Amino acid sequence: MDDGSVILKTRPVSEPVALLAPPAPERKAWKRQRLAAVLSPIILIVGWTLLSRSGWFPAEIVVPPEVLWKTFVTYWSNGQLPDHLTGSLGRLFGGYLIGAGIGIALGTLMGVSKQAEAYVLPGFHIMRQLPTVALIPAFIMIFGVGETVKLVLVAKATALPVALAAFQGVKGIPRTWLDVARIHRIPALTQFTHVIVPASLPVLVQGLRTALARSWMVLVAAELLVADSGIGQMMEWGRQTFRLDLVLIGVVITGLIGFTLDKGFRALERLLTRGSRRQEA
Amino acid sequence: MTGFNSSRRGVLAGGFAAALGVALSGCSVSKDKAGITTLKIAVVSSFAGQKVRLSGLDYVVDKFGWLREGLEKRGIKLEYFPAPNSAVGPIVNEAFANHQIQFAGYSDLPSIILNASNTTGKTKLVLPGNPSDSYLVVPVGSTARSIEDLKGKRLAIHRGRPWELPLLRLLTSKGLTYDDFQIFNINPDAGAAAVATGGVDGLFTISAFGLEDKGVAKIIWSTADQALDWKSWGGQWVSRTFLSEQPDIAQLVVDSYVRAAHWISDEKNKDEIVLLGTRNGTPEHIVRRTYDQSNISWKDRWSPRFPPELYTHYREASAFAKQNGIITGDVDVDALLDDSLVEKALKTLSLETYWDASKFKAGA
């Protein structure tokens, strides 16, 4: 029971940030990383500016940053870019929530039940090998070209890694913890909420993070092929109409959103793992 | 640890320098406009192994080796630059803008888009190609019989592709706009899957016979019965820079293509061309139907001449593209179409009277 209670204490997500500050040597490395994080985009922008001014590439292909900025401002102020963004993010979060829900439920079920594992896991491994993008034409035939197909694609891209992470997370819980819980006749629901969920959370969050990044890429790819709005669609239209400035803005926004989502999840992951490390120390 | 970091930094810096070097060297090749050592012609193509699979005029030019031999005498290599079916326009336009190719065979709207931009890679149409048809198809069980019946419903079109122009024209002729429909901008394969399963109520496409053949969709309208200027009408385009710098090589290309057009236009060679069309898996009867259903004769279909309808077509197409926000700049159609090379080729090959531009008009 002791082990289980440690887990309960170590997992609160709302732990004060001050307690999580890294120790001194780590802080130095952390500062270096922060500097690199600020410097690398600056280097990229300066390099891009130099390349666009070099005359080596036509300005229509390597679009100068100031032109990109102008296009960005125009498309932002005329409402087109916010519309595309809202469309894409709405699909992403909608599909992600559905996929994550299914993934967590199935993964946990496989983790706690040998029978469920035997039935579901082989199918999951087969599905995992199928690139979601390759399924787009088949999904269009089944789900049409409306919003459903995009939600299903995102949900599929999310559900598989989340299910596997949940499965691994639950499988990784030391047998003794569950045995102790059983000996103390803790009800199944309490076992689930107080032992299984907190113990498998770090692995699960990692899976949720991977899934979000993957879903975002799948969504943009799907929007390139089938959509009436969204960042992918804006890029597709830009490419067809030889507006590479629009394509590049789409690329930058896709990258920034992917980066932000990943950073957010990493912070959450750190919060959880540091908590447990501190407790172990 | 420091050693590892510095060596890693070294590797990174080396990698960056190498990447930049490769980018710049590729760039310097593409910028080598004058005195080319390789002539690159972009073709809409599939691959057979590593080899580009040619069709139509490109196939005949290659089969007889006229161009390859003519270029070899001048120390120039001939290379085909394949543009996959899914993104012909963007790939060819980017290649012209980057001065990577000198010639390309592709259609009207993407070339209008390129020439309406501020690029230094502008082009000219020096040999008109086969006018091709577009179709409005609906699911087989649909009761729709015209575009008006699809008002308020789901219509699929791959926007920015050549067949968007006849659709815009059809809509305008009926007093309709995109706002009257729920438009889905999807590629032809996705569009075909969607119309087959009733995911959309209508699809505007260039590949309709296969869908009708499989019994999953039916054609309710096509440009086949319309005047010539309704059709998609591209051809061989040349980089303006290249044309002004090496007009003799450009003329050699046009001579070879006119020779090929003359060879194909003979009815006895039709079967060979039809068979070529089946190599991508299209059944022979569909390839034949595509050629035969048109109101243009086999001979005139391959005419390299510039009939008056071609000029009208490009004027109207540019205006439609601008009205619908596909382009923002203007296109000077007189600078876009250049019949001088074809006329010279016809004279050189003694074919001045073989095709008649006015007959072409009558055929339509």
Side-chain angles (χ1 to χ4, degrees):
Chain A
M1 187 64 193
D2 265 349
D3 283 346
S5 61
V6 165
I7 293 203
L8 285 177
K9 280 182 199 163
T10 56
R11 298 292 182 264
V13 176
S14 56
E15 217 164 349
V17 177
L19 286 176
L20 299 171
E26 272 186 36
R27 213 172 296 159
K28 219 172 172 184
W30 181 74
K31 271 186 182 166
R32 258 208 312 274
Q33 272 184 359
R34 283 290 290 258
L35 187 70
V38 174
L39 273 179
S40 61
I42 294 174
I43 292 169
L44 191 70
I45 293 169
V46 170
W48 187 263
T49 311
L50 291 175
L51 198 64
S52 67
R53 290 190 198 290
S54 67
W56 289 327
F57 289 100
E60 301 82 40
I61 291 181
V62 180
V63 186
E66 67 271 20
V67 177
L68 284 183
W69 176 249
K70 227 172 115 181
T71 311
F72 174 81
V73 171
T74 311
Y75 273 74
W76 186 267
S77 49
N78 69 16
Q80 285 195 44
L81 196 49
D83 281 353
H84 286 307
L85 264 178
T86 319
S88 290
L89 290 175
R91 282 171 198 140
L92 177 72
F93 290 122
Y96 182 75
L97 285 177
I98 298 168
I102 295 172
I104 291 172
L106 271 177
T108 313
L109 187 69
M110 285 192 292
V112 295
S113 154
K114 278 268 173 210
Q115 212 171 3
E117 182 188 340
Y119 276 108
V120 186
L121 198 61
F124 257 77
H125 281 304
I126 293 170
M127 284 292 280
R128 205 162 60 124
Q129 305 304 323
L130 295 174
T132 309
V133 176
L135 292 172
I136 293 176
F139 275 29
I140 286 171
M141 297 194 82
I142 303 166
F143 301 105
V145 287
E147 285 305 299
T148 317
V149 71
K150 273 126 2 197
L151 287 177
V152 170
L153 281 165
V154 172
K156 187 257 167 195
T158 307
L160 291 180
V162 170
L164 287 169
F167 170 66
Q168 278 160 3
V170 173
K171 275 280 181 193
I173 301 172
R175 193 81 224 150
T176 48
W177 296 7
L178 295 169
D179 289 344
V180 170
R182 249 192 304 273
I183 291 164
H184 284 80
R185 295 178 189 281
I186 293 172
L189 186 67
T190 317
Q191 275 189 43
F192 179 73
T193 53
H194 286 66
V195 182
I196 293 175
V197 170
S200 59
L201 210 53
V203 184
L204 178 63
V205 171
Q206 212 170 0
L208 284 167
R209 178 169 67 79
T210 316
L212 189 58
R214 196 176 293 181
S215 309
W216 175 236
M217 283 190 280
V218 165
L219 175 65
V220 174
E223 284 180 346
L224 284 170
L225 292 177
V226 50
D228 48 0
S229 66
I231 292 297
Q233 189 56 206
M234 185 184 88
M235 286 155 77
E236 152 69 13
W237 180 240
R239 183 120 200 263
Q240 290 292 350
T241 54
F242 197 50
R243 290 283 312 271
L244 295 191
D245 50 343
L246 276 183
V247 179
L248 286 168
I249 286 172
V251 169
V252 172
I253 290 177
T254 306
L256 282 177
I257 289 178
F259 179 79
T260 312
L261 294 172
D262 195 61
K263 276 279 162 196
F265 254 107
R266 266 182 201 280
L268 187 66
E269 223 178 308
R270 262 203 310 274
L271 207 74
L272 292 161
T273 50
R274 278 210 186 118
S276 71
R277 225 187 302 151
R278 193 172 52 83
Q279 196 69 34
E280 279 158 21
Chain B
M1 191 66 187
T2 318
F4 171 73
N5 270 343
S6 63
S7 73
R8 196 168 60 171
R9 242 176 266 143
V11 169
L12 279 177
F16 181 72
L20 194 67
V22 169
L24 297 185
S25 65
C27 192
S28 64
V29 170
S30 68
K31 290 290 277 183
D32 186 17
K33 287 174 262 175
I36 52 154
T37 52
T38 306
L39 180 88
K40 286 189 184 166
I41 301 179
V43 290
V44 180
S45 179
S46 54
F47 278 93
Q50 291 291 307
K51 212 173 175 295
V52 178
R53 193 183 260 168
L54 300 170
S55 59
L57 291 173
D58 300 304
Y59 166 82
V60 178
V61 167
D62 193 58
K63 169 184 164 133
F64 291 103
W66 302 312
L67 181 57
R68 199 176 290 278
E69 284 160 21
L71 289 171
E72 265 168 18
K73 280 183 200 154
R74 293 168 169 84
I76 299 170
K77 261 177 44 186
L78 173 64
E79 220 174 78
Y80 290 101
F81 180 95
N85 237 322
S86 53
V88 180
I91 285 172
V92 171
N93 283 349
E94 284 153 22
F96 267 130
N98 210 13
H99 300 281
Q100 280 176 309
I101 53 170
Q102 288 75 42
F103 273 86
Y106 72 139
S107 200
D108 42 24
L109 184 54
S111 13
I112 287 171
I113 289 170
L114 176 74
N115 285 284
S117 75
N118 292 324
T119 180
T120 56
K122 286 194 180 176
T123 54
K124 273 176 187 281
L125 178 67
V126 285
L127 186 129
N130 244 322
S132 60
D133 290 308
S134 311
Y135 308 86
L136 175 61
V137 297
V138 293
V140 75
S142 169
T143 53
R145 294 163 80 181
S146 68
I147 186 81
E148 291 101 318
D149 294 341
L150 293 175
K151 221 174 147 182
K153 297 192 172 160
R154 298 163 301 174
L155 180 63
I157 166 83
H158 197 186
R159 295 203 59 201
R161 303 297 293 268
W163 53 97
E164 187 180 7
L165 283 176
L167 171 63
L168 288 172
R169 207 172 167 154
L170 173 65
L171 295 182
T172 310
S173 72
K174 306 284 183 190
L176 299 165
T177 67
Y178 278 160
D179 293 338
D180 293 311
F181 304 88
Q182 206 184 328
I183 295 290
F184 284 95
N185 182 18
I186 49 181
N187 74 22
D189 294 338
V195 81
T197 52
V200 289
D201 304 294
L203 165 72
F204 206 82
T205 181
I206 46 165
S207 315
F209 293 159
L211 290 168
E212 209 173 50
D213 212 41
K214 288 187 191 106
V216 293
K218 57 182 181 189
I219 300 167
I220 59 168
W221 184 89
S222 90
T223 57
D225 313 317
Q226 306 298 322
L228 255 180
D229 49 355
W230 276 75
K231 299 175 193 270
S232 293
W233 208 352
Q236 278 296 328
W237 295 79
V238 66
S239 142
R240 290 188 197 187
T241 318
F242 177 71
L243 181 61
S244 66
E245 282 170 359
Q246 292 193 272
D248 53 331
I249 306 289
Q251 186 64 55
L252 179 68
V253 175
V254 175
D255 287 354
S256 309
Y257 275 81
V258 170
R259 226 169 142 183
H262 177 238
W263 184 87
I264 297 184
S265 72
D266 190 337
E267 281 280 346
K268 71 173 195 284
N269 297 320
K270 185 176 175 181
D271 286 350
E272 190 172 337
I273 298 304
V274 168
L275 277 180
L276 279 181
T278 64
R279 290 189 306 176
N280 62 0
T282 313
E284 188 182 330
H285 69 276
I286 288 184
V287 181
R288 258 182 218 287
R289 191 176 161 195
T290 310
Y291 282 128
D292 294 341
Q293 57 103 40
S294 172
N295 45 13
I296 310 167
S297 72
W298 179 254
K299 182 185 165 191
D300 275 344
R301 179 171 272 280
W302 299 98
S303 169
R305 295 210 111 127
F306 286 64
E309 290 87 344
L310 189 69
Y311 292 87
T312 320
H313 174 74
Y314 273 88
R315 282 203 181 88
E316 288 180 352
S318 310
F320 268 114
K322 196 165 180 185
Q323 272 165 29
N324 288 280
I326 300 170
I327 58 171
T328 47
D330 286 307
V331 178
D332 178 2
V333 172
D334 293 319
L336 199 66
L337 309 184
D338 185 347
D339 66 350
S340 64
L341 285 89
V342 158
E343 290 304 323
K344 199 171 167 192
L346 289 170
K347 205 174 270 177
T348 311
L349 299 165
S350 306
L351 293 171
E352 295 114 304
T353 55
Y354 185 74
W355 285 290
D356 187 340
S358 61
K359 252 193 198 161
F360 205 129
K361 189 180 172 187

